DNA sequence: CGTCGCCTTGAGTGTTTTCAACTTTGGTGG
DNA sequence: CCACCAAAGTTGAAAACACTCAAGGCGACG
């Protein structure tokens, strides 16, 4: 696990990190009373400030915690012997990752920052101790585990049955919805991950993703400028998914 | 949820069911002391005897339990608006399904018997009450949840990065390994599910699966006779996966 | 201002799908 | 017991989709 970045935090980053921490506490997707969130905050002992390409955890690392993204984007993936990789998911602020280590000693996948990211660690052990004190915490965690299954299953359907067009449309809508949920614009945002990562996630070649973006733009569905994306026709995007 | 089959159990089935129950207790993939397994057995209130095509649960059903397969094969799948479906997994005896309902009120997928199957129900509620009494139970359940994630992620890699040949080889080895684990021959067994189901699971057309079986047989890797499969060259099968 | 990484575009190739016909099997009723 | 039917499986040919290989453009960074 990469702790380096925590040691080389520059002052500007640290200041903004502290300020953010103070105002909005933990960035958790949990619906709990203020004081309970405080309790949760108290079990966070480690923070990670990751630069693009740095690992949060790697395959084989001891899996004894889940992680909350406070800012940035984390991708999880399976590295293969053949050198390629399968991206399993992208995690945005206020999302939790690492559930797959439940009941295992080691991670079976890796997690890497796609952009500069701020992540905090919630050890399973501390979390379990809180279950008795914080009413509803277990249910909320269970709900997140169930959602993680749902996400994986949606992905299996996407990879097993859908064409490239539908996959990319589905991906864009997913990002859009999640950003909107956090109070950002659902129609205009930055794709923080590379085309290669997107393709890797969607089971498509990098070039195919690029071509699809071009086609979507020609059809007036979106406007793509490098990493910046504007959705012009949300309905058409939705139609592509349901096709 | 389909209870019909429990009401129309014929005497022969019932007798064999009871006998089996007596001798090998619950068919659980849990490593616990005898008396604890007894306790677990006591929370089973419902049994399902399902005929091929009958549902164990359907999408939208209240998800308040996990299920242990005692005999037969259960497939889980996502039905889509377009009429097609994505098979998520096959569950053999001694395997548990239904974790995805964790923390949700409803199932987001369906479970159907592929062949005549015997399944028992473990309500989440009863299970949670046992966590305090049975030491290590939570850890074991967590381990199974983690394994479920691992399976899903392996599947994502398979669908995202592998060709038909590698997918089918991987599938056959998975079945082989799981049967061997239960004490059956890893080299000779029946494929209880249809070609359509296999294709659906592997993200391939039914015809492609058929052609691949033919090719594997021509290459001397397996012998296929309808549902009966014999693996002649386990190494070559393994090579195909690792390619 | 040059280099490197990321992205785009084109051309050709390959795998898998689709459509269609045909075979085999298992069940049902005469 | 046999004939018939529906479901499951196989096979072939053509088409679709995405991939690979290759070249070139754009932008960030030193």
């Amino acid at each position: 696990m990469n702790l380096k970045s925590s040691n080389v935090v520059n002052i500007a980053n640290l200041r903004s990190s502290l300020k953010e921490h103070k105002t909005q506490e933990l960035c958790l997707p949990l619906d709990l009373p203020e004081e309970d969130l405080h309790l949760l905050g108290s079990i966070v002992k480690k923070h990670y400030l990751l630069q693009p390409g740095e690992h949060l955890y790697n395959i084989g690392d001891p899996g004894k915690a889940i992680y909350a993204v406070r800012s940035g984007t984390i991708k999880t993936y399976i590295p293969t012997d053949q050198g390629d990789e399968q991206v399993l998911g992208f995690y945005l602020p206020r999302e939790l990752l690492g559930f797959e280590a439940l009941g295992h000693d080691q991670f079976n996948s890796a997690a890497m920052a796609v952009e500069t990211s701020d992540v905090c660690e919630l050890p399973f052990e501390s979390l379990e101790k809180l279950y008795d004190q914080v009413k509803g915490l277990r249910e909320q965690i269970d709900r997140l585990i169930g959602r993680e299954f749902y996400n994986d299953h949606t992905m299996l359907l996407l990879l097993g049955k859908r064409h490239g067009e539908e996959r990319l449309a589905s991906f864009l809508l997913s990002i859009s919805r999640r950003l909107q949920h956090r109070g950002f614009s659902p129609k205009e945002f930055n794709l923080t991950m590379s085309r290669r990562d997107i393709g890797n996630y969607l089971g498509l070649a990098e070039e195919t993703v690029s071509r699809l973006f071009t086609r979507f733009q020609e059809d007036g569905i979106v406007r793509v400028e490098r990493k910046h994306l504007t959705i012009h026709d949300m309905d058409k995007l939705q139609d592509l998914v349901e096709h």
Side-chain angles (χ1 to χ4, degrees), chain A:
Chain A
M1 223 166 290
N2 194 332
L3 271 164
K4 220 189 309 172
S5 54
S6 313
N7 301 331
V8 294
V9 173
N10 70 46
I11 302 297
N13 278 342
L14 184 60
R15 184 161 299 158
S16 86
S17 163
L18 286 173
K19 187 176 127 229
E20 197 185 348
H21 203 182
K22 207 175 181 181
T23 52
Q24 65 177 81
E25 300 293 334
L26 266 177
C27 288
L28 292 177
L30 298 172
D31 184 24
L32 292 170
E34 182 74 17
E35 43 187 274
D36 289 339
L37 287 177
H38 256 87
L39 261 176
L40 265 171
S42 71
I43 71 170
V44 175
K45 293 192 200 102
K46 283 187 192 161
H47 270 260
Y48 299 93
L49 258 166
L50 303 169
Q51 295 308 312
E54 283 187 338
H55 277 98
L56 174 61
Y57 55 78
N58 211 323
I59 199 165
D61 280 352
K64 305 229 171 291
I66 52 179
Y67 300 88
V69 181
R70 295 187 55 227
S71 71
T73 309
I74 306 288
K75 73 168 178 185
T76 55
Y77 66 98
I78 309 177
T80 71
D81 300 337
Q82 287 80 48
D84 52 2
E85 63 184 49
Q86 174 66 45
V87 172
L88 300 172
F90 297 106
Y91 294 83
L92 306 180
R94 289 184 149 282
E95 296 180 340
L96 288 175
L97 65 149
F99 290 111
E100 64 133 62
L102 257 183
H104 285 262
D105 298 333
Q106 303 187 325
F107 279 106
N108 289 310
S109 60
M112 178 187 279
V114 157
E115 55 175 341
T116 304
S117 303
D118 185 3
V119 181
C120 53
E121 180 177 289
L122 295 100
F124 282 134
E125 209 179 300
S126 318
L127 209 52
E128 274 160 24
K129 283 178 190 157
L130 277 190
Y131 283 154
D132 292 332
Q133 299 174 50
V134 180
K135 191 164 158 341
L137 177 58
R138 164 161 294 287
E139 286 71 17
Q140 299 252 0
I141 295 289
D142 280 354
R143 187 175 51 82
L144 290 172
I145 293 174
R147 162 164 316 197
E148 199 67 14
F149 279 125
Y150 177 72
N151 289 342
D152 285 349
H153 293 172
T154 303
M155 229 23 228
L156 286 174
L157 173 64
L158 206 65
L159 294 185
K161 294 279 172 301
R162 305 292 172 230
H163 285 182
E165 214 174 45
E166 307 166 86
R167 294 186 199 180
L168 186 59
S170 191
F171 171 71
L172 294 180
L173 284 176
S174 166
I175 299 283
S176 168
R177 244 180 281 117
R178 287 150 72 189
L179 288 177
Q180 181 173 33
H181 191 254
R182 296 172 43 212
F184 289 92
S185 166
K187 297 202 166 185
E188 198 176 348
F189 49 86
N190 281 321
L191 293 167
T192 54
M193 64 295 288
S194 68
R195 300 290 192 267
R196 176 183 296 270
D197 279 338
I198 296 175
N200 227 316
Y201 179 52
L202 299 176
L204 298 170
E206 184 181 353
E207 296 94 327
T208 306
V209 174
S210 192
R211 277 185 254 270
L212 285 170
F213 271 130
T214 305
R215 200 196 302 171
F216 282 5
Q217 175 154 308
E218 284 169 358
D219 294 349
I221 302 175
V222 301
R223 176 163 169 72
V224 201
E225 269 173 294
R226 222 81 187 143
K227 298 223 172 271
H228 192 79
L229 190 113
T230 313
I231 301 180
H232 286 311
D233 194 338
M234 198 69 90
D235 293 340
K236 225 183 246 178
L237 215 47
Q238 189 61 47
D239 287 348
L240 280 179
V241 172
E242 288 166 358
H243 174 252

